[in-house]
mmCIF file of all heavy atoms in Angstrom:
data_model
loop_
_atom_site.group_PDB
_atom_site.id
_atom_site.type_symbol
_atom_site.label_atom_id
_atom_site.label_comp_id
_atom_site.label_asym_id
_atom_site.label_seq_id
_atom_site.Cartn_x
_atom_site.Cartn_y
_atom_site.Cartn_z
ATOM 1 N N ALA W 68 95.931 79.280 108.061
ATOM 2 C CA ALA W 68 96.087 80.525 107.290
ATOM 3 C C ALA W 68 95.224 81.636 107.877
ATOM 4 O O ALA W 68 94.223 81.383 108.561
ATOM 5 C CB ALA W 68 95.694 80.275 105.834
ATOM 6 N N ALA W 69 95.608 82.865 107.576
ATOM 7 C CA ALA W 69 94.860 84.018 108.094
ATOM 8 C C ALA W 69 93.452 84.055 107.526
ATOM 9 O O ALA W 69 93.197 83.583 106.422
ATOM 10 C CB ALA W 69 95.587 85.302 107.712
ATOM 11 N N GLY W 70 92.547 84.628 108.307
ATOM 12 C CA GLY W 70 91.190 84.885 107.824
ATOM 13 C C GLY W 70 90.152 83.963 108.401
ATOM 14 O O GLY W 70 88.985 84.322 108.496
ATOM 15 N N LEU W 71 90.565 82.749 108.822
ATOM 16 C CA LEU W 71 89.561 81.823 109.354
ATOM 17 C C LEU W 71 89.191 82.222 110.777
ATOM 18 O O LEU W 71 88.041 82.173 111.163
ATOM 19 C CB LEU W 71 90.107 80.392 109.304
ATOM 20 C CG LEU W 71 89.094 79.319 108.963
ATOM 21 C CD1 LEU W 71 89.775 77.989 108.665
ATOM 22 C CD2 LEU W 71 88.060 79.127 110.038
ATOM 23 N N LYS W 73 89.813 85.443 112.482
ATOM 24 C CA LYS W 73 90.355 86.804 112.423
ATOM 25 C C LYS W 73 90.571 87.388 113.815
ATOM 26 O O LYS W 73 91.561 88.073 114.065
ATOM 27 C CB LYS W 73 89.406 87.714 111.635
ATOM 28 C CG LYS W 73 89.349 87.399 110.151
ATOM 29 C CD LYS W 73 88.525 88.444 109.424
ATOM 30 C CE LYS W 73 87.975 87.966 108.102
ATOM 31 N NZ LYS W 73 88.931 87.882 107.026
ATOM 32 N N GLU W 90 97.919 81.457 112.506
ATOM 33 C CA GLU W 90 97.937 82.890 112.157
ATOM 34 C C GLU W 90 96.529 83.443 112.324
ATOM 35 O O GLU W 90 95.591 82.951 111.698
ATOM 36 C CB GLU W 90 98.414 83.057 110.712
ATOM 37 C CG GLU W 90 98.739 84.513 110.363
ATOM 38 C CD GLU W 90 99.434 84.607 109.010
ATOM 39 O OE1 GLU W 90 100.415 83.873 108.780
ATOM 40 O OE2 GLU W 90 98.961 85.387 108.174
ATOM 41 N N GLY W 92 93.892 87.044 112.527
ATOM 42 C CA GLY W 92 93.742 88.227 111.685
ATOM 43 C C GLY W 92 93.196 87.787 110.333
ATOM 44 O O GLY W 92 92.884 86.613 110.163
ATOM 45 N N THR W 93 93.082 88.659 109.430
ATOM 46 C CA THR W 93 93.591 90.012 109.449
ATOM 47 C C THR W 93 92.830 90.864 110.461
ATOM 48 O O THR W 93 91.592 90.903 110.441
ATOM 49 C CB THR W 93 93.463 90.651 108.053
ATOM 50 O OG1 THR W 93 94.324 89.950 107.170
ATOM 51 C CG2 THR W 93 93.847 92.110 108.050
ATOM 52 N N VAL W 94 93.601 91.561 111.324
ATOM 53 C CA VAL W 94 93.010 92.604 112.146
ATOM 54 C C VAL W 94 93.475 93.949 111.611
ATOM 55 O O VAL W 94 94.533 94.048 110.983
ATOM 56 C CB VAL W 94 93.378 92.526 113.643
ATOM 57 C CG1 VAL W 94 92.638 91.418 114.335
ATOM 58 C CG2 VAL W 94 94.867 92.452 113.870
ATOM 59 N N ARG W 106 78.825 87.615 101.277
ATOM 60 C CA ARG W 106 80.221 87.944 100.950
ATOM 61 C C ARG W 106 81.122 86.715 100.971
ATOM 62 O O ARG W 106 82.342 86.843 100.923
ATOM 63 C CB ARG W 106 80.727 89.021 101.911
ATOM 64 C CG ARG W 106 80.517 88.652 103.370
ATOM 65 C CD ARG W 106 80.753 89.817 104.307
ATOM 66 N NE ARG W 106 80.563 89.393 105.684
ATOM 67 C CZ ARG W 106 80.760 90.176 106.737
ATOM 68 N NH1 ARG W 106 81.115 91.439 106.572
ATOM 69 N NH2 ARG W 106 80.583 89.711 107.955
ATOM 70 N N LEU W 107 80.496 85.533 101.073
ATOM 71 C CA LEU W 107 81.260 84.273 101.043
ATOM 72 C C LEU W 107 80.462 83.258 100.230
ATOM 73 O O LEU W 107 79.271 83.058 100.497
ATOM 74 C CB LEU W 107 81.468 83.788 102.485
ATOM 75 C CG LEU W 107 82.228 82.487 102.687
ATOM 76 C CD1 LEU W 107 83.610 82.522 102.060
ATOM 77 C CD2 LEU W 107 82.358 82.177 104.188
ATOM 78 N N LEU W 116 86.379 78.575 97.102
ATOM 79 C CA LEU W 116 85.556 79.601 97.756
ATOM 80 C C LEU W 116 85.836 80.928 97.065
ATOM 81 O O LEU W 116 86.939 81.146 96.558
ATOM 82 C CB LEU W 116 85.939 79.760 99.235
ATOM 83 C CG LEU W 116 85.700 78.589 100.183
ATOM 84 C CD1 LEU W 116 86.343 78.892 101.545
ATOM 85 C CD2 LEU W 116 84.200 78.334 100.369
ATOM 86 N N VAL W 117 84.837 81.787 97.068
ATOM 87 C CA VAL W 117 85.080 83.187 96.700
ATOM 88 C C VAL W 117 84.628 84.008 97.894
ATOM 89 O O VAL W 117 83.537 83.776 98.437
ATOM 90 C CB VAL W 117 84.304 83.595 95.434
ATOM 91 C CG1 VAL W 117 84.371 85.101 95.216
ATOM 92 C CG2 VAL W 117 84.862 82.860 94.216
ATOM 93 N N ASN W 118 85.493 84.929 98.343
ATOM 94 C CA ASN W 118 85.072 85.776 99.461
ATOM 95 C C ASN W 118 85.391 87.224 99.174
ATOM 96 O O ASN W 118 86.337 87.553 98.471
ATOM 97 C CB ASN W 118 85.728 85.306 100.769
ATOM 98 C CG ASN W 118 87.062 85.984 101.036
ATOM 99 O OD1 ASN W 118 87.095 87.094 101.581
ATOM 100 N ND2 ASN W 118 88.154 85.364 100.616
ATOM 101 N N MET W 120 85.025 89.372 102.132
ATOM 102 C CA MET W 120 84.674 89.704 103.514
ATOM 103 C C MET W 120 85.025 91.157 103.845
ATOM 104 O O MET W 120 84.271 91.841 104.525
ATOM 105 C CB MET W 120 85.400 88.775 104.499
ATOM 106 C CG MET W 120 85.207 87.281 104.277
ATOM 107 S SD MET W 120 83.509 86.736 104.375
ATOM 108 C CE MET W 120 83.206 86.842 106.118
ATOM 109 N N PHE W 122 87.864 92.315 105.585
ATOM 110 C CA PHE W 122 88.495 92.473 106.912
ATOM 111 C C PHE W 122 87.474 92.824 107.996
ATOM 112 O O PHE W 122 87.638 93.792 108.751
ATOM 113 C CB PHE W 122 89.580 93.560 106.905
ATOM 114 C CG PHE W 122 90.782 93.300 106.047
ATOM 115 C CD1 PHE W 122 91.629 94.345 105.684
ATOM 116 C CD2 PHE W 122 91.102 92.027 105.612
ATOM 117 C CE1 PHE W 122 92.756 94.134 104.905
ATOM 118 C CE2 PHE W 122 92.237 91.798 104.819
ATOM 119 C CZ PHE W 122 93.052 92.864 104.469
ATOM 120 N N ASN W 150 98.229 88.754 111.636
ATOM 121 C CA ASN W 150 98.201 89.327 110.295
ATOM 122 C C ASN W 150 97.504 90.684 110.369
ATOM 123 O O ASN W 150 96.392 90.800 110.878
ATOM 124 C CB ASN W 150 97.434 88.334 109.406
ATOM 125 C CG ASN W 150 97.327 88.759 107.970
ATOM 126 O OD1 ASN W 150 96.895 89.864 107.670
ATOM 127 N ND2 ASN W 150 97.679 87.862 107.071
ATOM 128 N N VAL W 181 102.509 89.693 110.288
ATOM 129 C CA VAL W 181 102.390 89.689 108.825
ATOM 130 C C VAL W 181 101.799 91.011 108.352
ATOM 131 O O VAL W 181 100.769 91.448 108.871
ATOM 132 C CB VAL W 181 101.457 88.550 108.357
ATOM 133 C CG1 VAL W 181 101.367 88.516 106.826
ATOM 134 C CG2 VAL W 181 101.935 87.213 108.893
ATOM 135 N N ASN W 183 99.821 92.475 105.596
ATOM 136 C CA ASN W 183 98.964 91.998 104.507
ATOM 137 C C ASN W 183 98.654 93.163 103.584
ATOM 138 O O ASN W 183 97.924 94.080 103.956
ATOM 139 C CB ASN W 183 97.679 91.410 105.114
ATOM 140 C CG ASN W 183 96.742 90.881 104.044
ATOM 141 O OD1 ASN W 183 97.104 90.821 102.870
ATOM 142 N ND2 ASN W 183 95.554 90.503 104.451
ATOM 143 N N SER W 185 97.699 92.368 100.353
ATOM 144 C CA SER W 185 97.308 91.596 99.177
ATOM 145 C C SER W 185 95.861 91.145 99.182
ATOM 146 O O SER W 185 95.492 90.315 98.370
ATOM 147 C CB SER W 185 98.222 90.382 99.050
ATOM 148 O OG SER W 185 98.277 89.661 100.269
ATOM 149 N N SER W 186 95.023 91.678 100.081
ATOM 150 C CA SER W 186 93.612 91.296 100.013
ATOM 151 C C SER W 186 92.964 92.018 98.844
ATOM 152 O O SER W 186 93.182 93.213 98.659
ATOM 153 C CB SER W 186 92.888 91.669 101.293
ATOM 154 O OG SER W 186 91.493 91.626 101.054
ATOM 155 N N LYS W 224 102.669 89.358 103.018
ATOM 156 C CA LYS W 224 101.827 88.422 102.259
ATOM 157 C C LYS W 224 101.463 89.037 100.913
ATOM 158 O O LYS W 224 100.940 90.155 100.857
ATOM 159 C CB LYS W 224 100.561 88.092 103.066
ATOM 160 C CG LYS W 224 99.713 87.001 102.414
ATOM 161 C CD LYS W 224 98.696 86.446 103.395
ATOM 162 C CE LYS W 224 97.816 85.390 102.762
ATOM 163 N NZ LYS W 224 96.849 84.840 103.698
ATOM 164 N N ILE W 250 104.672 85.383 102.625
ATOM 165 C CA ILE W 250 103.605 84.377 102.571
ATOM 166 C C ILE W 250 103.020 84.429 101.166
ATOM 167 O O ILE W 250 102.588 85.492 100.689
ATOM 168 C CB ILE W 250 102.537 84.632 103.646
ATOM 169 C CG1 ILE W 250 103.198 84.663 105.028
ATOM 170 C CG2 ILE W 250 101.456 83.555 103.583
ATOM 171 C CD1 ILE W 250 102.248 84.723 106.194
ATOM 172 N N THR W 252 100.386 82.376 98.654
ATOM 173 C CA THR W 252 99.829 83.662 98.312
ATOM 174 C C THR W 252 98.474 83.877 98.976
ATOM 175 O O THR W 252 97.885 82.944 99.513
ATOM 176 C CB THR W 252 99.570 83.767 96.780
ATOM 177 O OG1 THR W 252 98.530 82.837 96.441
ATOM 178 C CG2 THR W 252 100.790 83.515 95.980
ATOM 179 N N ASN W 253 97.977 85.084 98.784
ATOM 180 C CA ASN W 253 96.594 85.399 99.135
ATOM 181 C C ASN W 253 95.665 84.856 98.029
ATOM 182 O O ASN W 253 96.116 84.149 97.126
ATOM 183 C CB ASN W 253 96.455 86.923 99.276
ATOM 184 C CG ASN W 253 95.461 87.285 100.357
ATOM 185 O OD1 ASN W 253 94.354 86.723 100.394
ATOM 186 N ND2 ASN W 253 95.815 88.200 101.237
ATOM 187 N N THR W 254 94.383 85.191 98.094
ATOM 188 C CA THR W 254 93.415 84.754 97.076
ATOM 189 C C THR W 254 93.666 85.511 95.765
ATOM 190 O O THR W 254 94.309 86.557 95.745
ATOM 191 C CB THR W 254 91.992 85.059 97.553
ATOM 192 O OG1 THR W 254 91.926 86.460 97.889
ATOM 193 C CG2 THR W 254 91.637 84.263 98.780
ATOM 194 N N GLY W 271 87.784 87.329 96.137
ATOM 195 C CA GLY W 271 89.042 86.595 96.007
ATOM 196 C C GLY W 271 88.755 85.104 95.967
ATOM 197 O O GLY W 271 88.004 84.585 96.795
ATOM 198 N N LEU W 272 89.368 84.423 95.008
ATOM 199 C CA LEU W 272 89.145 82.991 94.813
ATOM 200 C C LEU W 272 90.240 82.205 95.543
ATOM 201 O O LEU W 272 91.427 82.521 95.425
ATOM 202 C CB LEU W 272 89.194 82.700 93.305
ATOM 203 C CG LEU W 272 89.176 81.237 92.862
ATOM 204 C CD1 LEU W 272 87.834 80.581 93.182
ATOM 205 C CD2 LEU W 272 89.463 81.147 91.363
ATOM 206 N N SER W 273 89.824 81.159 96.264
ATOM 207 C CA SER W 273 90.772 80.294 96.978
ATOM 208 C C SER W 273 90.420 78.842 96.707
ATOM 209 O O SER W 273 89.381 78.542 96.121
ATOM 210 C CB SER W 273 90.693 80.582 98.484
ATOM 211 O OG SER W 273 89.392 80.315 98.951
ATOM 212 N N GLY W 274 91.284 77.948 97.156
ATOM 213 C CA GLY W 274 91.014 76.522 96.994
ATOM 214 C C GLY W 274 91.687 75.972 95.743
ATOM 215 O O GLY W 274 92.631 76.547 95.213
ATOM 216 N N ARG W 275 91.150 74.837 95.273
ATOM 217 C CA ARG W 275 91.822 74.095 94.214
ATOM 218 C C ARG W 275 92.247 74.936 92.997
ATOM 219 O O ARG W 275 93.396 74.813 92.546
ATOM 220 C CB ARG W 275 90.934 72.921 93.778
ATOM 221 C CG ARG W 275 91.694 71.885 92.998
ATOM 222 C CD ARG W 275 90.841 70.683 92.655
ATOM 223 N NE ARG W 275 90.722 69.713 93.719
ATOM 224 C CZ ARG W 275 91.729 69.003 94.222
ATOM 225 N NH1 ARG W 275 92.957 69.189 93.789
ATOM 226 N NH2 ARG W 275 91.523 68.123 95.165
ATOM 227 N N LEU W 277 93.293 77.794 92.762
ATOM 228 C CA LEU W 277 94.397 78.713 93.086
ATOM 229 C C LEU W 277 95.742 77.984 93.161
ATOM 230 O O LEU W 277 96.803 78.615 93.111
ATOM 231 C CB LEU W 277 94.093 79.399 94.435
ATOM 232 C CG LEU W 277 95.144 80.318 95.038
ATOM 233 C CD1 LEU W 277 95.454 81.494 94.105
ATOM 234 C CD2 LEU W 277 94.671 80.847 96.403
ATOM 235 N N VAL W 301 100.938 78.854 100.593
ATOM 236 C CA VAL W 301 99.507 78.688 100.881
ATOM 237 C C VAL W 301 98.729 78.896 99.589
ATOM 238 O O VAL W 301 99.085 79.729 98.771
ATOM 239 C CB VAL W 301 99.042 79.648 102.015
ATOM 240 C CG1 VAL W 301 99.433 81.076 101.765
ATOM 241 C CG2 VAL W 301 97.550 79.557 102.270
ATOM 242 N N GLY W 302 97.686 78.091 99.424
ATOM 243 C CA GLY W 302 96.843 78.215 98.230
ATOM 244 C C GLY W 302 96.546 76.863 97.622
ATOM 245 O O GLY W 302 97.421 76.245 97.027
ATOM 246 N N GLY W 303 95.317 76.392 97.835
ATOM 247 C CA GLY W 303 94.843 75.207 97.131
ATOM 248 C C GLY W 303 95.382 73.892 97.632
ATOM 249 O O GLY W 303 95.416 72.914 96.877
ATOM 250 N N ILE W 304 95.765 73.799 98.893
ATOM 251 C CA ILE W 304 96.231 72.498 99.417
ATOM 252 C C ILE W 304 95.022 71.724 99.955
ATOM 253 O O ILE W 304 94.423 72.112 100.953
ATOM 254 C CB ILE W 304 97.285 72.674 100.532
ATOM 255 C CG1 ILE W 304 98.488 73.473 100.012
ATOM 256 C CG2 ILE W 304 97.724 71.307 101.070
ATOM 257 C CD1 ILE W 304 99.497 73.846 101.090
ATOM 258 N N GLN W 322 100.396 76.641 104.844
ATOM 259 C CA GLN W 322 99.163 76.990 105.583
ATOM 260 C C GLN W 322 97.933 76.490 104.817
ATOM 261 O O GLN W 322 97.978 76.345 103.592
ATOM 262 C CB GLN W 322 99.039 78.507 105.736
ATOM 263 C CG GLN W 322 100.073 79.130 106.658
ATOM 264 C CD GLN W 322 99.932 80.635 106.739
ATOM 265 O OE1 GLN W 322 99.583 81.291 105.753
ATOM 266 N NE2 GLN W 322 100.218 81.206 107.887
ATOM 267 N N LEU W 323 96.848 76.307 105.570
ATOM 268 C CA LEU W 323 95.586 75.812 105.005
ATOM 269 C C LEU W 323 94.431 76.736 105.359
ATOM 270 O O LEU W 323 94.378 77.246 106.474
ATOM 271 C CB LEU W 323 95.219 74.449 105.609
ATOM 272 C CG LEU W 323 96.276 73.356 105.685
ATOM 273 C CD1 LEU W 323 95.681 72.154 106.429
ATOM 274 C CD2 LEU W 323 96.718 72.963 104.294
ATOM 275 N N TYR W 324 93.515 76.883 104.425
ATOM 276 C CA TYR W 324 92.219 77.486 104.737
ATOM 277 C C TYR W 324 91.115 76.688 104.031
ATOM 278 O O TYR W 324 90.419 75.882 104.674
ATOM 279 C CB TYR W 324 92.175 78.968 104.336
ATOM 280 C CG TYR W 324 90.934 79.711 104.835
ATOM 281 C CD1 TYR W 324 91.007 81.016 105.274
ATOM 282 C CD2 TYR W 324 89.691 79.096 104.869
ATOM 283 C CE1 TYR W 324 89.877 81.692 105.737
ATOM 284 C CE2 TYR W 324 88.564 79.752 105.331
ATOM 285 C CZ TYR W 324 88.657 81.042 105.751
ATOM 286 O OH TYR W 324 87.537 81.690 106.213
ATOM 287 N N THR W 325 90.984 76.858 102.704
ATOM 288 C CA THR W 325 89.844 76.269 101.988
ATOM 289 C C THR W 325 89.822 74.743 102.093
ATOM 290 O O THR W 325 88.740 74.134 102.157
ATOM 291 C CB THR W 325 89.871 76.740 100.524
ATOM 292 O OG1 THR W 325 89.926 78.181 100.531
ATOM 293 C CG2 THR W 325 88.633 76.289 99.759
ATOM 294 N N GLY W 326 90.987 74.119 102.149
ATOM 295 C CA GLY W 326 91.048 72.662 102.301
ATOM 296 C C GLY W 326 90.316 72.196 103.552
ATOM 297 O O GLY W 326 89.689 71.131 103.558
HETATM 298 C C1 FMN F 1 86.805 83.412 103.640
HETATM 299 C C2 FMN F 1 88.254 83.783 103.558
HETATM 300 C C3 FMN F 1 88.752 84.843 104.289
HETATM 301 C C4 FMN F 1 90.106 85.192 104.220
HETATM 302 N N1 FMN F 1 90.563 86.227 104.963
HETATM 303 C C5 FMN F 1 91.880 86.538 104.926
HETATM 304 C C6 FMN F 1 92.382 87.566 105.743
HETATM 305 O O1 FMN F 1 91.659 88.187 106.526
HETATM 306 N N2 FMN F 1 93.709 87.856 105.654
HETATM 307 C C7 FMN F 1 94.564 87.167 104.824
HETATM 308 O O2 FMN F 1 95.760 87.456 104.785
HETATM 309 N N3 FMN F 1 94.105 86.158 104.056
HETATM 310 C C8 FMN F 1 92.796 85.837 104.089
HETATM 311 N N4 FMN F 1 92.336 84.804 103.324
HETATM 312 C C9 FMN F 1 93.273 84.114 102.418
HETATM 313 C C10 FMN F 1 93.842 82.822 103.016
HETATM 314 O O3 FMN F 1 94.606 83.088 104.166
HETATM 315 C C11 FMN F 1 94.719 82.102 101.971
HETATM 316 O O4 FMN F 1 95.831 82.922 101.659
HETATM 317 C C12 FMN F 1 93.980 81.785 100.687
HETATM 318 O O5 FMN F 1 92.630 81.442 100.936
HETATM 319 C C13 FMN F 1 94.640 80.659 99.889
HETATM 320 O O6 FMN F 1 94.682 79.470 100.637
HETATM 321 P P1 FMN F 1 93.575 78.290 100.490
HETATM 322 O O7 FMN F 1 93.444 77.999 99.016
HETATM 323 O O8 FMN F 1 94.145 77.153 101.294
HETATM 324 O O9 FMN F 1 92.321 78.828 101.056
HETATM 325 C C14 FMN F 1 90.990 84.450 103.375
HETATM 326 C C15 FMN F 1 90.496 83.354 102.655
HETATM 327 C C16 FMN F 1 89.148 83.007 102.733
HETATM 328 C C17 FMN F 1 88.658 81.823 101.949
#
Side-chain angles (χ1 to χ4, degrees):
L71 217 169
K73 291 187 202 285
E90 192 170 310
T93 294
V94 285
R106 53 192 181 177
L107 180 57
L116 295 172
V117 170
N118 90 84
M120 305 300 287
F122 295 162
N150 181 307
V181 182
N183 181 8
S185 51
S186 164
K224 187 165 178 179
I250 303 188
T252 67
N253 214 313
T254 54
L272 172 67
S273 61
R275 197 176 278 296
L277 175 60
V301 51
I304 302 173
Q322 292 178 325
L323 312 175
Y324 189 142
T325 306

